[in-house]
Amino acid sequence: MNRRELLAGLAGAPALRAAPAKPRNVIFILADDHRYDAMGFMKAQPWLRTPTMDRMAAEGAHFKNAFVTTALCSPSRASILTGVYAHKHRVVDNNTAIPKGTVFFPSHLQKAGYKTSFFGKWHMGGESDDPQPGFDEWVSFRGQGTYLPNKNGLNVNGKHVPQKGYITDELTDYALDWLGRQSKDQPYFMYLSHKAVHAEFEPATRHKDMYKEAKFIYPPTMVATGEMAQHRPKWVQDQRNSWHGVEYPYHSSLDIADYYKRYAETLMGVDDSIGRVLGALDKRGQLDSTLVIYMGDNGFAFGEHGLIDKRTAYEESMRVPMLARCPELFKGGQTVNGVVSGIDIMPTVLAASGVAAPAGLDGMNFLPLPQGQTAGWRKELLYEYYWERNFPQTPTIHALRGDRYKFIRYHGIWDIDELYDLQEDPLESRNLIFSAQYQPVIKEMRERLFKVLEETGGLSMPLWPDRGGQNSLRNPDASKGADFPPELVRRPQRP
């Protein structure tokens, strides 16, 4: 390893590699709120089907330890496009505008002669659907958009047009139309960013009720007490009875099982979309030469720890599906164990395209992993989430997720931190924060957490003016406020 490669590795950025002889086409497909195990071959729910995702795993690589560094739509999407943590790009919630001067990686591809395109949910910078720098073709909608046509319609290259049908299908139609207009010798990057499977879930007509009779398997950690809820923080127990809890989900009487089944039906549209993209590449004779990457922008809890939705540092929230297919670059049918993340998409796409990555990235090029080159790869990943006034039940979180242990630190709340041995306790049911045996691990991971934050400029808290309303109600007929952990309760000492 030469000096430049060593310095790049220490900085967390990929070492520069020689450009390939021919620029490689890349298609990146992003789904919303798709949790890591909601794929047929994962068998989390034995009845769930995703035939195209299963095909991608069989013909490509499944990155089983893929994560986002912030489990929230806008921050995650900004990290994908910039290759840095949220505390650097400053899009820390779903209301914050994109800071002026932010450069998204497709701009680098344009300079290298690529045609670039974006189709779907942008959801950064408020409600705007205006075309963004770095994309030659643009199709988007305001905010979250809707599954079925609405009055706002779509923004197609700066012109507002009606939305004609089901959004997952229509975005795919636009994407394949653009792909069909590219000449065979024109390198391209296509970003297909689905609204699905964001709530409120709305499956395509062809998929409605396909899982109506399926039996949902409830997560063991949904319980409030007992062996599957050992040393659970007070704030987590309190969140059971909140907008993001199983006892008062979205301030309603929503049934978690029915909710998941509707989610799975909506996901089928995304699976169909991926299949259509692969089919179009096959017809162009570019299926095996094109790098196709699929991932989710964050996970989603369906009752784990008594919670729903995302934001937390638990596996169901921060862990996402990631699949990649390109037989010319790596063999198919393999499972990659290395810890990868959304911040790695930018350097990976640039490397595949033969474009040098700029300095200062937090992500790394993950293409060496499915090629069997694991030396020098990260052993742990920083996670961060900043308290939102709109959803005040989840505190500011910093976590370090390693190969075996996960350390979670909470900020601005009177409560306890968490440590989990993911090898012995993959469901994160036994918080080891008070275990004498694990105090050295806790001390070391706490120190490393702050070292990563310091090295990446993350020791100051982003703060923005209040925007929007609050979802802060509690159900008087559900759980009351939790007690403090007994380890924090002591009688007064005599003077």
Side-chain angles (χ1 to χ4, degrees), residues 373-439:
Q373 305 170 38
T374 60
W377 192 252
R378 69 165 69 91
K379 298 297 182 183
E380 56 198 13
L381 184 73
L382 172 69
Y383 179 84
E384 59 185 340
Y385 166 80
Y386 297 95
W387 178 81
E388 299 168 274
R389 183 177 177 82
N390 315 92
F391 303 98
Q393 55 268 34
T394 305
T396 291
I397 301 169
H398 290 93
L400 204 61
R401 205 282 187 187
D403 288 338
R404 177 164 184 176
Y405 297 105
K406 181 190 291 183
F407 172 69
I408 309 174
R409 179 189 183 274
Y410 299 107
H411 185 87
I413 190 170
W414 187 4
D415 213 329
I416 61 175
D417 295 329
E418 295 176 275
L419 177 77
Y420 293 102
D421 183 338
L422 299 172
Q423 181 175 306
E424 299 296 326
D425 180 26
L427 298 181
E428 298 169 303
S429 64
R430 300 187 298 276
N431 181 10
L432 302 171
I433 201 68
F434 294 116
S435 170
Q437 176 185 348
Y438 289 94
Q439 292 309 306

Side-chain angles (χ1 to χ4, degrees), residues 18-35:
K22 181 181 179 182
R24 186 170 301 280
N25 300 321
V26 181
I27 294 178
F28 177 60
I29 304 174
L30 185 72
D32 200 305
D33 289 356
H34 187 187
R35 54 183 283 153

Side-chain angles (χ1 to χ4, degrees), residues 106-274:
S107 295
H108 299 290
L109 297 174
Q110 285 179 319
K111 293 177 182 178
Y114 273 67
K115 290 294 183 181
T116 63
S117 59
F118 179 86
F119 305 95
K121 178 178 174 178
W122 181 252
H123 201 222
M124 286 182 285
E127 292 293 303
S128 174
D129 59 7
D130 293 339
Q132 296 293 320
F135 298 101
D136 299 304
E137 185 83 1
W138 178 266
V139 178
S140 190
F141 43 74
R142 296 185 63 185
Q144 296 285 1
T146 56
Y147 285 102
L148 300 176
N150 72 88
K151 64 179 182 180
N152 293 321
L154 303 175
N155 186 321
V156 179
N157 296 320
K159 180 181 178 181
H160 285 91
V161 302
Q163 179 182 331
K164 298 177 182 179
Y166 187 66
I167 192 62
T168 307
D169 295 339
E170 191 161 350
L171 292 175
T172 309
D173 292 342
Y174 276 105
L176 297 186
D177 176 74
W178 178 83
L179 180 61
R181 289 187 273 118
Q182 307 310 305
S183 64
K184 296 290 182 68
D185 58 354
Q186 170 62 57
Y188 58 81
F189 169 74
M190 186 174 88
Y191 184 172
L192 178 52
S193 176
H194 285 297
K195 169 185 171 56
V197 277
H198 195 282
E200 295 292 320
F201 312 132
E202 181 69 39
T205 301
R206 63 188 180 276
H207 298 135
K208 283 185 178 180
D209 295 328
M210 67 179 291
Y211 297 129
K212 185 177 181 179
E213 303 301 324
K215 185 177 181 180
F216 175 73
I217 301 173
Y218 287 89
T221 59
M222 190 169 167
V223 298
T225 60
E227 291 188 0
M228 301 306 293
Q230 297 181 45
H231 294 294
R232 185 175 284 171
K234 181 180 185 296
W235 77 264
V236 178
Q237 294 287 55
D238 285 342
Q239 192 173 132
R240 294 180 65 88
N241 181 3
S242 79
W243 180 268
H244 287 149
V246 295
E247 296 178 6
Y248 200 20
Y250 307 131
H251 297 164
S252 74
S253 58
L254 176 142
D255 181 89
I256 299 297
D258 289 342
Y259 199 52
Y260 185 96
K261 287 188 280 188
R262 195 168 180 85
Y263 170 88
E265 291 169 358
T266 306
L267 181 62
M268 281 298 299
V270 177
D271 195 77
D272 286 353
S273 173
I274 301 171

Side-chain angles (χ1 to χ4, degrees), residues 336-348:
V336 175
N337 292 314
V339 174
V340 299
S341 177
I343 57 175
D344 299 330
I345 295 297
M346 174 178 177
T348 300

